[in-house]
Amino acid sequence: MQTVDVLVVGAGLAGLSTARLLARRELKVMVVDRRRSLSAGIRTTGIFVRRTLDDFDLPDHLLGPGVRDVLLYPPSRRSPIRLTSDRDEFRVADMAAVNEHARRAAESAGAQVMLGVRYAGTSAGVVRLEGAEPVAARFVVGADGARSRVARDLGLDVNRRFLVGAEIVHPVAPGGGVPAFHCVLDPRVAPGYLGWVVDDGRHAHVGVAGDPAAMRAGVRHLLDAFAADAPGRSAPAGPVERRGGPIPVGGVLRRLACPSGLLVGDAAGAVSPLTAGGLDPCLRMSELAAAVVAGFLRTGDEGMLGRYDGAALRARFRGRLLLRRVFAGVRSPLAAEAAVAALRGRAGRALAARILFGDGSFPEIEPRPTTRTPLPG
């Protein structure tokens, strides 16, 4: 039986980033993922916000052009509110390529990445796998998504509040205009959240997300209905890809770690409950997770795990969780029209700009170094 210091379950950006950082600390790390290709099963739009772009040295050639304009639409689609930043606020990544880049970086750091291998459970330090022999692991990192099995096996907290989202992605013909992010507040197609179109001049992402209990027609049907006349959508200039999945919006979970393992990424609820963005949180929490795991395995001091405290992070989420409840309560077209109207004034536009362009969508985990952290390792 192979023995490793850390077994990471899930080869998304959170799992691969954590694996890379642990391997750089000279730990023996293995990553397993049930997918046979990292281009399969992508569930994120791939929007990186300015704060992430500032703090992490992401591979520029895998990012689309910068987006500075956001248009907010009421259900009627009339007279959208345009917010324009003086700098690039968003860039949309080719997530299949980003994941493959992160895989190569983890392997270059010394981690072993095994695809087509399904996690089947853990007990007494032995991890059972389908598609490979069992592995003896000193520690398990759950990076296995919003409905984490690792979390259940380790007795850690699990996500209970979700949105469900779906989107279509396709290339667009060049020369279509200024890149823009179109957001539609319409509870008929996206109850409790938004419909969106992000067109950066290379690709268009058209999606909806909302409360699954209120999406009686089904998210795929609602997406098709929205995409038929979505504002800002360009005609496909190539193959159309479909994505979808659950989005945890209950905030960071309280109990994230125990002496047997911890959670990162969506498994940890590391998603902004207000904007539903998860790429920035996954990179930030991966840094903390790697430092905590390395310290714990080096010293055996369980007190080290106290640094990875979800309850402390949740205390800094109160305002975001409150706004999430307000947002979720907008369930009629008239209420949505009124909400957008309230944002047309100076105070409303300032609030919208703060949410969309601000640095506070996810609280800072720990003080960051003054130099940017390179993703490639």
Side-chain angles (χ1 to χ4, degrees):
M1 184 185 302
Q2 186 174 176
T3 299
V4 299
D5 294 310
V6 184
L7 190 286
V8 179
V9 182
L13 188 56
L16 291 169
S17 296
T18 306
R20 171 178 56 84
L21 293 169
L22 287 168
R24 288 176 61 185
R25 288 171 166 84
E26 299 185 350
L27 293 171
K28 187 175 182 180
V29 182
M30 176 186 291
V31 183
V32 297
D33 195 294
R34 63 181 181 175
R35 297 174 294 168
R36 296 186 180 278
S37 168
L38 295 184
S39 62
I42 294 173
R43 295 184 173 182
T44 176
T45 298
I47 298 175
F48 285 95
V49 298
R50 173 173 49 82
R51 186 179 180 216
T52 320
L53 299 170
D54 287 347
D55 288 349
F56 295 89
D57 192 12
L58 299 165
D60 190 75
H61 66 288
L62 302 181
L63 302 172
V67 179
R68 299 186 177 196
D69 288 332
V70 176
L71 290 87
L72 303 176
Y73 296 79
S76 65
R77 314 290 204 271
R78 292 193 293 267
S79 303
I81 301 169
R82 180 182 287 271
L83 301 171
T84 301
S85 175
D86 59 1
R87 49 191 170 178
D88 292 345
E89 294 289 345
F90 311 101
R91 294 183 70 182
V92 185
D94 177 345
M95 286 308 299
V98 167
N99 287 342
E100 187 58 41
H101 184 91
R103 174 191 178 179
R104 292 195 300 270
E107 290 176 331
S108 294
Q112 180 184 4
V113 180
M114 299 175 61
L115 301 183
V117 174
R118 182 186 295 269
Y119 167 84
T122 182
S123 178
V126 176
V127 180
R128 301 184 307 279
L129 303 171
E130 295 178 9
E133 294 297 317
V135 173
R138 297 172 63 195
F139 203 82
V140 178
V141 171
D144 52 334
R147 294 191 171 98
S148 169
R149 178 169 178 180
V150 172
R152 296 195 300 272
D153 288 350
L154 296 181
L156 301 174
D157 285 352
V158 296
N159 293 296
R160 301 191 184 280
R161 294 182 59 193
F162 298 95
L163 300 175
V164 62
E167 73 170 9
I168 55 178
V169 184
H170 58 75
V172 298
V178 177
F181 191 170
H182 303 262
C183 300
V184 180
L185 183 61
D186 187 346
R188 295 170 298 186
V189 296
Y193 193 57
L194 296 169
W196 65 88
V197 176
V198 184
D199 185 338
D200 64 6
R202 295 183 185 174
H203 289 84
H205 294 250
V206 184
V208 298
D211 177 359
M215 302 177 99
R216 296 182 180 88
V219 66
R220 181 162 181 164
H221 174 79
L222 293 172
L223 171 60
D224 290 341
F226 174 70
D229 63 351
R233 183 187 179 189
S234 301
V240 176
E241 172 191 353
R242 285 185 176 267
R243 300 177 181 176
I247 308 168
V249 289
V252 173
L253 301 173
R254 289 180 173 84
R255 189 162 187 258
L256 293 175
C258 68
S260 298
L262 56 68
L263 308 174
V264 294
D266 283 7
V271 174
S272 169
L274 180 57
T275 65
L279 293 175
D280 183 79
C282 91
L283 290 174
R284 294 181 193 280
M285 289 194 72
S286 294
E287 287 187 329
L288 177 58
V292 166
V293 173
F296 170 63
L297 293 180
R298 185 177 62 252
T299 66
D301 179 7
E302 293 185 14
M304 297 285 296
L305 300 174
R307 291 177 58 200
Y308 202 69
D309 184 2
L313 275 174
R314 285 186 67 85
R316 297 153 67 184
F317 269 91
R318 292 193 184 103
R320 299 169 182 84
L321 289 167
L322 175 60
L323 286 171
R324 157 57 35 203
R325 288 192 288 271
V326 171
F327 202 180
V330 179
R331 291 302 178 90
S332 74
L334 284 176
E337 290 280 352
V340 175
L343 297 175
R344 295 188 186 280
R346 179 178 298 178
R349 292 176 67 88
L351 174 62
R354 181 177 180 184
I355 292 170
L356 292 165
F357 298 155
D359 293 332
S361 65
F362 193 81
E364 187 63 83
I365 306 299
E366 287 193 338
R368 290 190 47 74
T370 55
T371 57
R372 297 202 306 174
T373 300
L375 183 62

